[in-house]
Amino acid sequence: SAVTSHVSRGLGVADAPVVLHHEPGSKLSVNWGKMGKTFTGEVQGTYECKGVTLVVVWYLCDGRSFNHDFDTDGCTFIVLEPPLWKLWKIRRMTDNTFEGKLAEPNHVKVYRLDTVDVEVHFTETGERAF
């Protein structure tokens, strides 16, 4: 069976839905439509430019950041993993992997989490899974 840890700094039940691709620390799989390639990146933040929200994504493959306007740049994305501090629950599975859920109203999707990231998170916050 799985063991659950509630993340103390996570969202409360009454909080508004989260725009995960705007949250620093979210891991994205970004398909660069014009190139026909997909790369994994991590959101560093957002900023406004001429009324448009640009998402700054850092790509591990080349160590560069790119400012995306996902509405117009031809790139699409899938959120692979939200930032751990946004999760309401983190569960250690019997195979020692982790999965996490956001609080309501975002609680439907279960995310598989990077084990190293979770262990670092628990070390930094003093939280733990049992």
Side-chain angles (χ1 to χ4, degrees):
S1 72
V3 175
T4 301
S5 172
H6 290 273
V7 179
S8 60
R9 292 182 292 161
L11 288 172
V13 173
D15 289 323
V18 177
V19 181
L20 289 175
H21 71 283
H22 286 188
E23 291 292 329
S26 284
K27 291 183 181 178
L28 306 179
S29 175
V30 181
N31 181 284
W32 289 58
K34 294 176 185 173
M35 291 174 42
K37 295 186 177 184
T38 300
F39 303 97
T40 300
E42 184 171 317
V43 176
Q44 293 184 312
T46 61
Y47 68 95
E48 296 289 320
C49 181
K50 299 179 182 178
V52 175
T53 300
L54 297 173
V55 181
V56 182
V57 178
W58 178 78
Y59 289 95
L60 178 65
C61 62
D62 64 5
R64 297 184 193 182
S65 293
F66 187 84
N67 303 327
H68 284 282
D69 173 359
F70 286 113
D71 292 331
T72 63
D73 69 6
C75 296
T76 58
F77 65 89
I78 296 170
V79 176
L80 300 174
E81 182 179 304
L84 296 177
W85 56 271
K86 283 287 188 181
L87 295 172
W88 178 60
K89 288 184 180 180
I90 294 176
R91 297 189 313 177
R92 181 187 303 267
M93 307 307 289
T94 56
D95 62 356
N96 277 330
T97 60
F98 293 91
E99 58 182 35
K101 293 176 81 172
L102 296 166
E104 293 182 28
N106 304 292
H107 69 284
V108 176
K109 178 149 176 58
V110 175
Y111 295 91
R112 295 291 281 180
L113 305 174
D114 181 276
T115 301
V116 173
D117 289 348
V118 174
E119 295 293 352
V120 168
H121 171 77
F122 286 151
T123 299
E124 290 176 351
T125 63
E127 298 166 352
R128 63 185 196 140
F130 298 95

